[in-house]
Amino acid sequence: MNELFEYPTLQLARKLLGMELVHQTGKGLTSGIIVEAEAYLGPEDRAAHSYGGRRTPRTEIMYAEAGHVYVYFIYGMHTCFNIVSGPLHKPEAILIRALEPKEGIPLMMTRRNMAVSLMDNGAWNLKELKKLADGPGKLCKAMGITLEDYGVKLNSDHLYLREYRDVPEQDIVSGPRIGVNYAGEAALYPYRFWIKDNLYVSK
């Protein structure tokens, strides 16, 4: 799995689609399939936290080896989960924007303060399931990912990726990143990638 992180950031963002993110805590195991991700290309990318070589206590981990976890807090209420990417000392990262819930769904719903919702036939209520992790803040809350996970090496014993399914290139869509209107022309870069027609992609 370590060789996965050797891919350049834009290529890695595409390869992460279809992989399963797993988090084990004292409350149980939860997981979801990555269906949407955004790439941030470091000092040259106005939308990146490390634009212009910015180096702060928060962004320090972006300068580490690819495969480390970069977690940060926004708006005083949401946690965002990123995977450090690119060459050592080249502060790039990939934001995971949405997951398709896979394992530990009742725990994920409890963390999101959602009613555990089953249909009469015993299947999950798809309308509720789609809302469980369709955004970076939502997925962190559902997965129990917190600032304590900052700097963890992905593929540790409690936070790791595992292969789930390959996504054909023709099923990967790209477009501008979300919420980066401040970034000038970088706001238009097609660095957001998602699985075409997937129900769990963020709105």
Side-chain angles (χ1 to χ4, degrees):
M1 186 65 71
N2 286 338
E3 61 271 16
L4 174 70
F5 302 120
E6 296 176 5
Y7 285 99
T9 296
L10 291 176
Q11 193 173 354
L12 176 59
R14 302 171 78 94
K15 287 190 169 292
L16 288 172
L17 298 178
M19 300 203 73
E20 186 176 6
L21 177 65
V22 185
H23 191 207
Q24 175 76 56
T25 71
K27 293 185 177 180
L29 182 144
T30 52
S31 76
I33 311 306
I34 298 172
V35 299
E36 183 181 1
E38 289 180 345
Y40 290 86
L41 298 189
E44 297 81 29
D45 183 353
R46 279 185 174 273
H49 290 170
S50 54
Y51 174 64
R54 186 182 301 121
R55 194 164 187 165
T56 67
R58 183 172 84 158
T59 64
E60 183 64 30
I61 195 62
M62 294 181 73
Y63 290 82
E65 291 181 336
H68 281 84
V69 172
Y70 172 37
V71 182
Y72 59 86
F73 208 46
I74 58 170
Y75 309 133
M77 58 192 302
H78 297 304
T79 304
C80 293
F81 172 83
N82 301 256
I83 299 171
V84 174
S85 56
L88 183 65
H89 305 311
K90 179 72 161 53
E92 301 179 351
I94 297 165
L95 170 68
I96 306 303
R97 280 201 58 88
L99 299 176
E100 178 181 332
K102 180 68 175 169
E103 292 190 44
I105 292 173
L107 176 56
M108 295 171 83
M109 287 183 164
T110 299
R111 285 171 172 159
R112 287 285 326 281
N113 297 316
M114 298 169 63
V116 177
S117 184
L118 292 171
M119 306 289 281
D120 291 339
N121 63 2
W124 292 108
N125 184 324
L126 186 58
K127 182 179 179 180
E128 296 300 311
L129 201 61
K130 288 192 297 183
K131 298 187 295 185
L132 190 51
D134 63 341
K138 292 179 181 180
L139 76 85
C140 281
K141 190 168 185 181
M143 292 284 289
I145 294 172
T146 70
L147 293 177
E148 292 184 3
D149 295 304
Y150 178 97
V152 167
K153 183 72 172 176
L154 199 57
N155 299 330
S156 65
D157 58 354
H158 75 283
L159 186 59
Y160 54 93
L161 294 170
R162 59 188 178 198
E163 294 183 8
Y164 184 73
R165 65 170 178 257
D166 289 327
V167 179
E169 278 296 314
Q170 63 267 26
D171 290 340
I172 298 176
V173 186
S174 64
R177 295 167 293 187
I178 294 174
V180 295
N181 294 338
Y182 59 84
E185 67 176 24
L188 301 177
Y189 294 167
Y191 292 171
R192 174 176 166 246
F193 305 94
W194 66 96
I195 299 176
K196 183 171 65 177
D197 299 328
N198 187 279
L199 298 175
Y200 301 90
V201 170
S202 67
K203 302 295 180 282

